[in-house]
Amino acid sequence: MFSPSTTKLKPSLTVCLLLTLLFTALGLILFHIDLPDQWLWLLAGAIAIHWIYAIGLHGLRVWPNSITAIDLTLDQQGEVNCRIHHRRGTSQLVILDRDSLLTAPLTILSCRPDNSSEQILPKFKRQLVILTKDSTNPEDYRRLRVLLRMAPQATPPS
């Protein structure tokens, strides 16, 4: 039986380390490409700025559009509805895409806005929620993964 679930998210050292490894690899690849120095430093600066933004958004959750909670509920048709809550205090109903990754060490939820409901926030095309065991209570993390795996997903409108 499905019961509604709210998962509160907190800063994650694991996500910060994963993002740091990713952006370090990008930087190393960039320095092995034969580029003029001006372009090399411009691209390195862009990677560094995006690394700071990604760490704040997904790892430390300090930016206003960082996701701080995920609500899962069941609608009248028996499909799972997902609502994400942002640090700025707003929330938005979203549809989880089928390309979300659900594994024990890492969960990446790919979501897009549910256009059938009234939206307060600006529209976004797609947003990722990166979760690890240390980004929430371990029991809540396990429960969220089980609910997402077992519950029927909302079918996107064509």
Side-chain angles (χ1 to χ4, degrees), residues 36-53:
D37 286 345
Q38 298 160 336
W39 283 101
L40 181 69
W41 291 110
L42 179 70
L43 291 173
I47 288 173
I49 289 170
H50 190 69
W51 171 72
I52 291 169
Y53 176 75

Side-chain angles (χ1 to χ4, degrees), residues 25-158:
L26 283 174
L28 290 173
I29 291 169
L30 180 67
F31 280 100
H32 285 294
I33 298 173
D34 189 25
L35 289 173
D37 286 345
Q38 298 160 336
W39 283 101
L40 181 69
W41 291 110
L42 179 70
L43 291 173
I47 288 173
I49 289 170
H50 190 69
W51 171 72
I52 291 169
Y53 176 75
I55 290 287
L57 182 68
H58 299 291
L60 301 176
R61 303 190 191 282
V62 295
W63 301 123
N65 55 340
S66 297
I67 297 172
T68 57
I70 301 170
D71 289 338
L72 295 177
T73 57
L74 203 59
D75 66 4
Q76 293 83 6
Q77 290 82 22
E79 296 176 337
V80 175
N81 289 326
C82 182
R83 179 174 292 278
I84 56 174
H85 298 270
H86 297 271
R87 186 172 184 83
R88 69 172 77 90
T90 57
S91 66
Q92 185 169 18
L93 192 61
V94 296
I95 296 173
L96 295 175
D97 291 334
R98 298 192 189 281
D99 60 348
S100 296
L101 173 70
L102 297 170
T103 64
L106 178 69
T107 299
I108 301 175
L109 302 177
S110 174
C111 51
R112 56 191 162 78
D114 183 4
N115 294 328
S116 64
S117 65
E118 174 106 9
Q119 297 296 320
I120 300 170
L121 300 175
K123 301 278 190 246
F124 59 85
K125 289 186 179 183
R126 185 173 170 192
Q127 187 165 356
L128 296 178
V129 183
I130 303 173
L131 302 168
T132 56
K133 287 182 183 177
D134 69 337
S135 61
T136 187
N137 179 331
E139 179 60 28
D140 290 344
Y141 180 70
R142 184 196 64 78
R143 186 171 181 221
L144 176 76
R145 287 186 309 107
V146 168
L147 289 175
L148 288 172
R149 248 181 231 270
M150 301 300 172
Q153 299 295 316
T155 53
S158 298

Side-chain angles (χ1 to χ4, degrees), residues 8-29:
K8 301 274 187 201
L9 305 180
K10 59 185 180 182
S12 170
L13 179 63
T14 305
V15 172
C16 290
L17 290 174
L18 287 172
L19 289 171
T20 300
L21 286 173
L22 173 73
F23 282 97
T24 301
L26 283 174
L28 290 173
I29 291 169

